[in-house]
């Protein structure tokens, strides 16, 4: 085409809804046994409207600077859940055992969707998790 290789600067209005939470719980069962839990769900959706292209950036009138741009600008949906659980046991003074479980889930769709708390919350927990399990042991050497 005649304008192949030409840069097009496009703009659109974004209607976005985001819901996120970060929560931490610490529980000490005994002086030698404790548990920590951290969770962070995140959901956001967005839709672009009024897609336009800058055609005359130096025009005095704001409306004359832009022209409608063909096509559907679309939108997006992004869901994520991260969690960490840590159990710490001090099996002898100065020596500890840590058991850590970390989980992450995420999904990105390049399409406009309407924010729906119930559906989006169910969807994030339906995603395949990436799990990490870690065991760490420390032993205090007493000379």
């Amino acid at each position: 085409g005649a304008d192949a290789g030409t840069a097009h600067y496009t703009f659109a209005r974004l209607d976005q809804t985001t819901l996120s939470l970060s929560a931490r719980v610490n529980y000490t069962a005994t002086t030698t046994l404790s548990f920590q839990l951290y969770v962070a769900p995140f959901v956001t959706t967005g839709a672009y409207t009024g897609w336009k292209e800058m055609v005359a950036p130096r025009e005095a009138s704001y409306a004359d600077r832009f022209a409608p741009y063909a096509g559907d600008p679309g939108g997006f949906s992004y869901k994520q859940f991260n969690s960490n659980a840590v159990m710490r046991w001090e099996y002898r003074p100065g020596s500890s055992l840590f058991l850590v479980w970390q989980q992450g889930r995420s999904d990105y769709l390049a399409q406009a969707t309407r924010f729906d708390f119930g559906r989006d919350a169910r969807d994030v927990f339906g995603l395949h998790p990436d799990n990490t399990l870690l065991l760490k042991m420390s032993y205090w050497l007493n000379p």
Side-chain angles (χ1 to χ4, degrees), residues 50-141:
W51 201 12
K52 55 192 170 194
E53 175 183 14
M54 182 174 287
V55 291
R58 299 194 193 288
E59 284 293 325
S61 167
Y62 180 81
D64 293 337
R65 295 177 194 167
F66 300 96
Y69 198 73
D72 176 14
F76 59 89
S77 173
Y78 181 71
K79 299 167 182 68
Q80 181 178 24
F81 177 81
N82 290 316
S83 67
N84 289 304
V86 179
M87 185 189 72
R88 180 188 162 277
W89 174 44
E90 188 174 359
Y91 59 93
R92 60 176 279 183
S95 302
S96 298
L97 182 70
F98 294 89
L99 180 61
V100 180
W101 173 38
Q102 179 183 26
Q103 185 179 95
R105 301 166 185 247
S106 67
D107 187 40
Y108 175 80
L109 296 172
Q111 64 189 40
T113 61
R114 187 179 53 79
F115 183 84
D116 180 320
F117 174 75
R119 179 202 64 214
D120 292 336
R122 281 188 306 274
D123 287 354
V124 79
F125 288 104
L127 298 172
H128 179 74
D130 292 322
N131 291 299
T132 302
L133 192 61
L134 173 72
L135 182 64
K136 176 186 172 186
M137 182 177 168
S138 65
Y139 183 79
W140 184 53
L141 299 174

Side-chain angles (χ1 to χ4, degrees), residues 35-48:
F35 180 75
Q36 296 175 338
L37 177 66
Y38 170 79
V39 296
F42 178 85
V43 176
T44 188
T45 60
Y48 299 103

